[in-house]
Amino acid sequence: METLMSILPIILYILGGILLVTLIILSIKLIKTINRMNKVVDDVEVKVKSLSKFFSAVDFITDTLSGLSDRIVEAITNSITNFFTKKRAKKKKEKEELEDETGE
């Protein structure tokens, strides 16, 4: 039992040292990976900034076409509404004239 008590702390110290070395190696690899990721993110950011002018131009064209189509739809709607309104007014006027002729 005494040999076990003297060997067990030595085994724990060796395993603790191995764990410490492994964690240090993993931390160093993690730092390298994060540095690479930062470089990639910076590169992507530069490329996105260069495309921002293109996207703003596309946005302007889209807004212009949307406004134009809104105006066309509004004009067509107004003309159809005016056509039916004039027809109803004409029928109403003819009906009133008939009533006036028969009512007199």
Side-chain angles (χ1 to χ4, degrees):
M1 189 75 165
E2 282 185 33
T3 56
L4 186 61
M5 291 294 236
S6 62
I7 294 177
L8 190 59
I10 294 172
I11 293 173
L12 288 175
Y13 288 138
I14 291 173
L15 290 176
I18 293 172
L19 180 64
L20 183 64
V21 169
T22 305
L23 288 175
I24 290 172
I25 291 172
L26 287 175
S27 298
I28 291 172
K29 288 188 177 202
L30 181 66
I31 289 172
K32 287 181 181 179
T33 304
I34 288 176
N35 286 336
R36 282 191 221 135
M37 286 177 54
N38 282 337
K39 287 179 184 177
V40 169
V41 168
D42 290 340
D43 188 42
V44 168
E45 186 177 336
V46 167
K47 289 179 181 178
V48 166
K49 283 183 182 178
S50 69
L51 288 175
S52 67
K53 292 178 183 177
F54 173 73
F55 288 130
S56 65
V58 168
D59 186 41
F60 175 75
I61 291 171
T62 304
D63 290 343
T64 304
L65 290 176
S66 175
L68 181 65
S69 67
D70 287 345
R71 289 181 187 164
I72 291 171
V73 167
E74 185 179 345
I76 291 171
T77 304
N78 285 339
S79 64
I80 291 172
T81 304
N82 288 339
F83 176 74
F84 286 114
T85 304
K86 287 179 184 177
K87 225 177 187 185
R88 286 183 189 153
K90 189 175 181 182
K91 284 183 181 180
K92 188 176 182 181
K93 188 175 181 182
E94 288 176 0
K95 187 177 179 182
E96 287 177 359
E97 287 177 3
L98 284 174
E99 287 177 0
D100 287 342
E101 290 176 4
T102 56
E104 291 184 6

